[in-house]
Each structure stands twice: as structure tokens, then as C-alpha cells.
Amino acid sequence: MIIDKRFVSIILCFTFLLIVIYIYERKINAIERELKSKKSSFNEKKSLVNAAQIKYNFAKLDTFNLSIQTSVNEKKSINDLLIDGDKIVFFFTEQDCDLCAIKELKKLKAFADDGAMKERLLVLGNFSQFDHISYFKIKNSLDIEILNVNKIRLVPNLITPYFFYLDKDCLAKDLYIPSKKSLEDLTQTYFQTIINKYSVLSLSTNDD
């Protein structure tokens, strides 16, 4: 019986040790995953901050002969929309993924509702008819102004919604393509990056 009790004690101790090792390994793995996630997020934000160097500084938009339709019977040039200052522009087409565009438009609306930035935001869409914009807004419960532009692509071969910064000289830069796969929302980070880089918010305040 003494041998049996010792054997049982050894088995119990060994089992307890295995459980402790298992719990410890799980904690270590969880910590490693969290560190990798934070590192990935940091690298992604760092890439976003350097978007102008990594992605595009594309041509002056006034050389594209853009026609901007602001209502059924009214058209303007891109320069007309820059009279009150630089803009953060969101561009999409009716051929793009609806869900992708709607998701970003709602973020843009929330950002505009903060107040000071409202006059600095511009939404350009390419729709075959202006009436399609009204239908799109009603269908998706969107309370935001969308202007119709006559070009289906401002950046060649880029078939997705995107943001960019448009300065008073009509130069488009700091293009940002919202990620469909990112676990973290980087659009807000993009807005803040543009504000910090170009002092967009202070410009809005000074104009008031």
C-alpha cells in the first residue's frame, strides 16, 4: 500500500506540474500575440503617417478638366471648391464596393459633425446620373453632400474608394486607401495625420 500511495502521489504531482506548465505556456503565448499585434499596429500607423512618400503624390487636378456637378443644373470647376481653403477629399464611384464606400462615408460624416472640420471635407463620387446620388444617399441613410465628378478614375488602375489631401494649388497628395483587412480603424488616424501635417484645423478656425 505504501508503494501505491507513493505512486499515486507522484502521478498527482506530475499531473499538477503539467497543468502549471500548460497554464504558463498559454499566458506566454497570449502575451506574445498581444506584442505582435501592437507591433503590427505601430508599423501600420507608421506607414500611414509616411503615406505621401510610400504611395502617391499625383497630378494637379485642375489639369484633368474636371467638371463637378453640385446639383442637377449646376456645375463647377475643382478650383471653385477650393476658394475657402484646402480639402480632405473622399473619392469613390458607383462601381466600387457599396459597403466599403458607405463605411468610410459614415466615418467622414461623424468627423464633419465635430464642427471645425466640416468646411474642409469634400466628397466626390462618379455616378452616371446625378439623381443616382440622391438614391444612393436615401438607400443608405446618408446625410452628407456628395458631388458628382465626370472622371471615373483620378488615379489610374486604382479601383477602390480612397482619401487624399487637395491643396489650394489643386495638387492632390497624401493618398490613403482604407484597408479592408486591418483589425484597427486607421481612417481616424489619417484625419489626425493630415490635421497635424498641414494645420488644416487651424486654417478652418482662422477663416471663421
Side-chain angles (χ1 to χ4, degrees), residues 6-28:
R6 286 180 178 177
F7 181 74
V8 171
S9 297
I10 292 171
I11 293 298
L12 289 174
C13 288
F14 183 71
T15 302
F16 178 74
L17 182 61
L18 289 177
I19 292 173
V20 170
I21 292 173
Y22 173 72
I23 294 173
Y24 178 75
E25 286 184 343
R26 288 197 64 178
K27 286 185 177 180
I28 292 297

CSV table of all heavy atoms in Angstrom, one decimal, residues 6-28:
chain,number,residue,atom,x,y,z
A,6,ARG,N,2.7,6.2,-2.8
A,6,ARG,CA,3.8,7.0,-3.4
A,6,ARG,C,3.6,7.2,-4.9
A,6,ARG,O,3.8,8.2,-5.4
A,6,ARG,CB,5.1,6.3,-3.1
A,6,ARG,CG,5.6,6.4,-1.6
A,6,ARG,CD,6.9,5.7,-1.5
A,6,ARG,NE,7.3,5.9,-0.1
A,6,ARG,CZ,8.5,5.3,0.4
A,6,ARG,NH1,9.2,4.6,-0.4
A,6,ARG,NH2,8.8,5.5,1.6
A,7,PHE,N,3.1,6.1,-5.5
A,7,PHE,CA,2.9,6.1,-6.9
A,7,PHE,C,1.8,7.1,-7.3
A,7,PHE,O,1.9,7.9,-8.2
A,7,PHE,CB,2.6,4.7,-7.4
A,7,PHE,CG,2.3,4.7,-8.9
A,7,PHE,CD1,3.4,4.7,-9.8
A,7,PHE,CD2,1.0,4.6,-9.4
A,7,PHE,CE1,3.2,4.6,-11.2
A,7,PHE,CE2,0.8,4.5,-10.8
A,7,PHE,CZ,1.9,4.6,-11.7
A,8,VAL,N,0.7,7.0,-6.5
A,8,VAL,CA,-0.4,8.0,-6.7
A,8,VAL,C,0.1,9.4,-6.5
A,8,VAL,O,-0.3,10.3,-7.2
A,8,VAL,CB,-1.6,7.6,-5.8
A,8,VAL,CG1,-2.6,8.7,-5.9
A,8,VAL,CG2,-2.2,6.3,-6.2
A,9,SER,N,0.9,9.6,-5.4
A,9,SER,CA,1.4,11.0,-5.1
A,9,SER,C,2.2,11.5,-6.3
A,9,SER,O,2.2,12.7,-6.7
A,9,SER,CB,2.2,10.9,-3.8
A,9,SER,OG,1.4,10.6,-2.7
A,10,ILE,N,3.1,10.6,-6.8
A,10,ILE,CA,3.9,11.0,-7.9
A,10,ILE,C,3.1,11.4,-9.1
A,10,ILE,O,3.4,12.4,-9.8
A,10,ILE,CB,4.9,9.9,-8.3
A,10,ILE,CG1,6.0,9.7,-7.1
A,10,ILE,CG2,5.7,10.2,-9.6
A,10,ILE,CD1,6.8,8.5,-7.3
A,11,ILE,N,2.1,10.6,-9.4
A,11,ILE,CA,1.2,10.9,-10.6
A,11,ILE,C,0.5,12.2,-10.4
A,11,ILE,O,0.4,13.0,-11.3
A,11,ILE,CB,0.2,9.7,-10.8
A,11,ILE,CG1,0.9,8.4,-11.2
A,11,ILE,CG2,-0.9,10.1,-11.8
A,11,ILE,CD1,1.6,8.5,-12.5
A,12,LEU,N,0.0,12.4,-9.2
A,12,LEU,CA,-0.7,13.7,-8.9
A,12,LEU,C,0.2,14.9,-9.1
A,12,LEU,O,-0.1,15.9,-9.6
A,12,LEU,CB,-1.3,13.7,-7.5
A,12,LEU,CG,-2.5,12.7,-7.3
A,12,LEU,CD1,-2.9,12.7,-5.8
A,12,LEU,CD2,-3.7,13.2,-8.2
A,13,CYS,N,1.4,14.8,-8.5
A,13,CYS,CA,2.4,15.9,-8.6
A,13,CYS,C,2.8,16.1,-10.1
A,13,CYS,O,2.9,17.3,-10.5
A,13,CYS,CB,3.7,15.5,-7.8
A,13,CYS,SG,3.4,15.6,-6.0
A,14,PHE,N,3.0,15.1,-10.8
A,14,PHE,CA,3.3,15.2,-12.3
A,14,PHE,C,2.2,15.8,-13.0
A,14,PHE,O,2.4,16.7,-13.9
A,14,PHE,CB,3.6,13.8,-12.8
A,14,PHE,CG,4.1,13.8,-14.2
A,14,PHE,CD1,5.3,14.3,-14.6
A,14,PHE,CD2,3.3,13.4,-15.3
A,14,PHE,CE1,5.8,14.4,-15.9
A,14,PHE,CE2,3.7,13.4,-16.6
A,14,PHE,CZ,4.9,13.9,-16.9
A,15,THR,N,1.0,15.4,-12.7
A,15,THR,CA,-0.2,16.0,-13.4
A,15,THR,C,-0.3,17.5,-13.1
A,15,THR,O,-0.6,18.3,-13.9
A,15,THR,CB,-1.5,15.3,-12.9
A,15,THR,OG1,-1.4,13.9,-13.2
A,15,THR,CG2,-2.7,15.8,-13.6
A,16,PHE,N,-0.2,17.8,-11.8
A,16,PHE,CA,-0.2,19.2,-11.4
A,16,PHE,C,0.9,20.1,-12.1
A,16,PHE,O,0.6,21.2,-12.5
A,16,PHE,CB,0.0,19.3,-9.8
A,16,PHE,CG,0.0,20.7,-9.3
A,16,PHE,CD1,-1.2,21.4,-9.2
A,16,PHE,CD2,1.2,21.3,-8.9
A,16,PHE,CE1,-1.2,22.7,-8.7
A,16,PHE,CE2,1.2,22.6,-8.5
A,16,PHE,CZ,0.0,23.3,-8.3
A,17,LEU,N,2.0,19.5,-12.2
A,17,LEU,CA,3.1,20.2,-12.9
A,17,LEU,C,2.8,20.4,-14.3
A,17,LEU,O,3.1,21.5,-14.9
A,17,LEU,CB,4.4,19.3,-12.8
A,17,LEU,CG,5.7,19.9,-13.4
A,17,LEU,CD1,6.0,21.3,-12.7
A,17,LEU,CD2,6.8,19.0,-13.3
A,18,LEU,N,2.2,19.4,-15.0
A,18,LEU,CA,1.8,19.6,-16.4
A,18,LEU,C,0.7,20.7,-16.5
A,18,LEU,O,0.8,21.5,-17.5
A,18,LEU,CB,1.2,18.3,-16.9
A,18,LEU,CG,2.2,17.1,-17.2
A,18,LEU,CD1,1.5,15.9,-17.6
A,18,LEU,CD2,3.3,17.6,-18.2
A,19,ILE,N,-0.2,20.7,-15.6
A,19,ILE,CA,-1.2,21.8,-15.6
A,19,ILE,C,-0.6,23.2,-15.5
A,19,ILE,O,-1.0,24.1,-16.2
A,19,ILE,CB,-2.3,21.5,-14.5
A,19,ILE,CG1,-3.1,20.3,-14.8
A,19,ILE,CG2,-3.2,22.7,-14.4
A,19,ILE,CD1,-4.0,19.9,-13.7
A,20,VAL,N,0.3,23.3,-14.5
A,20,VAL,CA,1.0,24.6,-14.3
A,20,VAL,C,1.8,25.0,-15.6
A,20,VAL,O,1.7,26.2,-16.0
A,20,VAL,CB,2.0,24.5,-13.1
A,20,VAL,CG1,2.9,25.7,-13.0
A,20,VAL,CG2,1.2,24.3,-11.8
A,21,ILE,N,2.5,24.0,-16.2
A,21,ILE,CA,3.2,24.3,-17.4
A,21,ILE,C,2.3,24.8,-18.5
A,21,ILE,O,2.6,25.7,-19.3
A,21,ILE,CB,4.1,23.1,-17.8
A,21,ILE,CG1,5.2,22.9,-16.8
A,21,ILE,CG2,4.7,23.3,-19.2
A,21,ILE,CD1,6.0,21.6,-17.1
A,22,TYR,N,1.2,24.1,-18.7
A,22,TYR,CA,0.2,24.4,-19.7
A,22,TYR,C,-0.4,25.8,-19.5
A,22,TYR,O,-0.5,26.6,-20.5
A,22,TYR,CB,-1.0,23.4,-19.6
A,22,TYR,CG,-2.1,23.7,-20.6
A,22,TYR,CD1,-2.0,23.5,-22.0
A,22,TYR,CD2,-3.3,24.2,-20.1
A,22,TYR,CE1,-3.1,23.8,-22.8
A,22,TYR,CE2,-4.4,24.5,-20.9
A,22,TYR,CZ,-4.2,24.3,-22.3
A,22,TYR,OH,-5.3,24.6,-23.1
A,23,ILE,N,-0.8,26.1,-18.3
A,23,ILE,CA,-1.3,27.5,-18.0
A,23,ILE,C,-0.2,28.5,-18.3
A,23,ILE,O,-0.5,29.6,-18.8
A,23,ILE,CB,-1.8,27.6,-16.5
A,23,ILE,CG1,-3.0,26.7,-16.3
A,23,ILE,CG2,-2.1,29.0,-16.2
A,23,ILE,CD1,-3.4,26.6,-14.9
A,24,TYR,N,1.0,28.3,-17.9
A,24,TYR,CA,2.1,29.2,-18.1
A,24,TYR,C,2.4,29.5,-19.6
A,24,TYR,O,2.5,30.6,-20.0
A,24,TYR,CB,3.4,28.7,-17.4
A,24,TYR,CG,4.6,29.5,-17.6
A,24,TYR,CD1,4.7,30.7,-16.9
A,24,TYR,CD2,5.6,29.2,-18.5
A,24,TYR,CE1,5.9,31.5,-17.0
A,24,TYR,CE2,6.7,30.0,-18.7
A,24,TYR,CZ,6.8,31.1,-17.9
A,24,TYR,OH,7.9,31.9,-18.1
A,25,GLU,N,2.3,28.4,-20.4
A,25,GLU,CA,2.6,28.5,-21.8
A,25,GLU,C,1.5,29.3,-22.5
A,25,GLU,O,1.7,30.1,-23.4
A,25,GLU,CB,2.7,27.1,-22.4
A,25,GLU,CG,4.0,26.4,-22.1
A,25,GLU,CD,4.1,25.1,-22.8
A,25,GLU,OE1,3.1,24.6,-23.3
A,25,GLU,OE2,5.3,24.6,-22.9
A,26,ARG,N,0.2,29.1,-22.0
A,26,ARG,CA,-0.9,29.8,-22.6
A,26,ARG,C,-0.7,31.3,-22.3
A,26,ARG,O,-1.0,32.2,-23.2
A,26,ARG,CB,-2.2,29.3,-22.0
A,26,ARG,CG,-2.6,27.9,-22.5
A,26,ARG,CD,-4.1,27.7,-22.3
A,26,ARG,NE,-4.9,28.6,-23.0
A,26,ARG,CZ,-6.3,28.6,-23.0
A,26,ARG,NH1,-6.9,27.7,-22.2
A,26,ARG,NH2,-7.0,29.5,-23.6
A,27,LYS,N,-0.3,31.7,-21.1
A,27,LYS,CA,-0.1,33.1,-20.8
A,27,LYS,C,1.0,33.7,-21.6
A,27,LYS,O,0.9,34.8,-22.1
A,27,LYS,CB,0.2,33.2,-19.3
A,27,LYS,CG,-1.0,33.0,-18.4
A,27,LYS,CD,-0.7,33.2,-16.9
A,27,LYS,CE,-1.9,33.1,-16.0
A,27,LYS,NZ,-1.6,33.3,-14.6
A,28,ILE,N,2.1,32.9,-21.7
A,28,ILE,CA,3.2,33.4,-22.6
A,28,ILE,C,2.8,33.6,-24.0
A,28,ILE,O,3.1,34.6,-24.6
A,28,ILE,CB,4.4,32.4,-22.5
A,28,ILE,CG1,5.0,32.4,-21.1
A,28,ILE,CG2,5.4,32.8,-23.5
A,28,ILE,CD1,5.6,33.7,-20.7
